[in-house]
Amino acid sequence: MKLMPFMISMLFFLCFILFVFCGAFGYYRNRHGLENQLFLVMCILFSIWAIAFAGGNGAVTEQEAILWRKVSAIGWCSVYSVILHFVLLWTMPEFTKRVGAWMMFIYVPAVMMLYFYVLNPTTAILQYQVVRTAWGWAALSVGGAIEGAFALYY
């Protein structure tokens, strides 16, 4: 493995460790608080994203890099919904009293993105194009409706 991709992978791995410890600490402080539970989920998703980028950046083949990108999609497809839920809960405490249908609007886009980027073999393989650089593997934009929908969701 070349030095620069290794260093970048190590930085992602350090982020992974940081997210795991922050999430565990927040959860340990108050296991029953919804904010703490959401913070833990958010940190877990960030840690999945980080560890997958660490593995993908140091991948040997293009197929291996794409596999790691699919694993990272579990984190980056889902975390935005959790962040929105967390911020709404934190800034509007009355939000917890009327969650009902709002949860659908918050989490359905994440489920749809997971389906298109990870679970559906037809669309998932079309969403990833990677190229090796001096810094490791970089993803290229493939364009299309699914990428546009993700940008709108984000």
Side-chain angles (χ1 to χ4, degrees):
M1 180 183 280
K2 295 181 181 175
L3 181 63
M4 199 51 78
F6 177 75
M7 298 293 285
I8 300 292
S9 291
M10 286 297 103
L11 286 173
F12 281 128
F13 184 72
L14 288 173
C15 290
F16 163 76
I17 291 171
L18 179 71
F19 288 132
V20 168
F21 280 116
C22 285
F25 179 74
Y27 184 71
Y28 174 75
R29 299 280 296 170
N30 182 5
R31 292 184 179 120
H32 304 292
L34 184 57
E35 294 93 345
N36 296 67
Q37 294 169 359
L38 281 172
F39 183 73
L40 174 65
V41 171
M42 191 169 46
C43 286
I44 288 170
L45 291 172
F46 276 131
S47 66
I48 291 170
W49 189 354
I51 196 70
F53 266 39
N57 200 58
V60 178
T61 65
E62 181 179 0
Q63 289 77 23
E64 187 182 349
I66 289 173
L67 175 67
W68 280 109
R69 289 283 173 169
K70 285 183 181 181
V71 172
S72 75
I74 296 168
W76 57 259
C77 283
S78 307
V79 76
Y80 301 112
S81 293
V82 178
I83 290 171
L84 177 61
H85 188 179
F86 180 76
V87 168
L88 287 173
L89 191 64
W90 208 17
T91 58
M92 298 176 1
E94 69 276 2
F95 180 73
T96 57
K97 295 179 179 83
R98 49 186 168 100
V99 289
W102 285 105
M103 288 300 119
M104 182 180 72
F105 290 114
I106 292 175
Y107 289 103
V108 164
V111 172
M112 289 173 44
M113 291 300 120
L114 280 171
Y115 176 74
F116 288 126
Y117 279 98
V118 181
L119 301 174
N120 186 336
T122 306
T123 59
I125 197 67
L126 299 173
Q127 299 308 310
Y128 299 100
Q129 186 176 5
V130 294
V131 62
R132 182 174 276 295
T133 68
W135 298 84
W137 290 94
L140 300 175
S141 175
V142 295
I146 295 172
E147 195 169 312
F150 179 76
L152 185 65
Y153 155 65
Y154 171 67

